[in-house]
Amino acid sequence: ESAGASYVTAGHIFETDCKKGLNGRGIAFLSEITSSVNLPVLAIGGIRAENIALVKRAGARGACVMSGAFACEDVNKYFHELRNI
């Protein structure tokens, strides 16, 4: 914050194929980050429709999604659904 950052990316929160074999840091880690800074926090790593509500409850202002976007048939529909969870 003192160096002028405008947001923080925190991850990897859940298991992801991008980091095979490494456990995610989890929701407690994300909550610790969101409560420790005054900047928007974006969660990354294994974010899916099944867990994005947990990410929001942990205080993240957003999420970075890769695998789901690449695998879906309709990207606009996919992100619309994620935003409305």
Side-chain angles (χ1 to χ4, degrees):
E1 286 177 84
S2 63
S6 24
Y7 65 91
V8 173
T9 306
H12 68 285
I13 304 304
F14 303 105
E15 280 190 39
T16 174
D17 286 342
C18 296
K19 298 197 178 349
K20 260 200 189 316
L22 293 177
N23 291 329
R25 291 186 170 102
I27 291 298
F29 167 81
L30 181 58
S31 293
E32 184 178 333
I33 299 299
T34 61
S35 65
S36 298
V37 298
N38 294 311
L39 298 171
V41 176
L42 305 175
I44 190 168
I47 310 298
R48 299 182 316 276
E50 296 81 20
N51 60 29
I52 198 163
L54 295 171
V55 167
K56 291 178 180 180
R57 282 195 295 270
R61 292 274 301 277
C64 305
V65 178
M66 187 175 76
S67 299
F70 286 132
C72 71
E73 291 184 26
D74 184 338
V75 173
N76 289 326
K77 180 180 176 186
Y78 176 77
F79 281 109
H80 177 76
E81 290 172 354
L82 283 179
R83 275 192 293 270
N84 290 307
I85 291 176

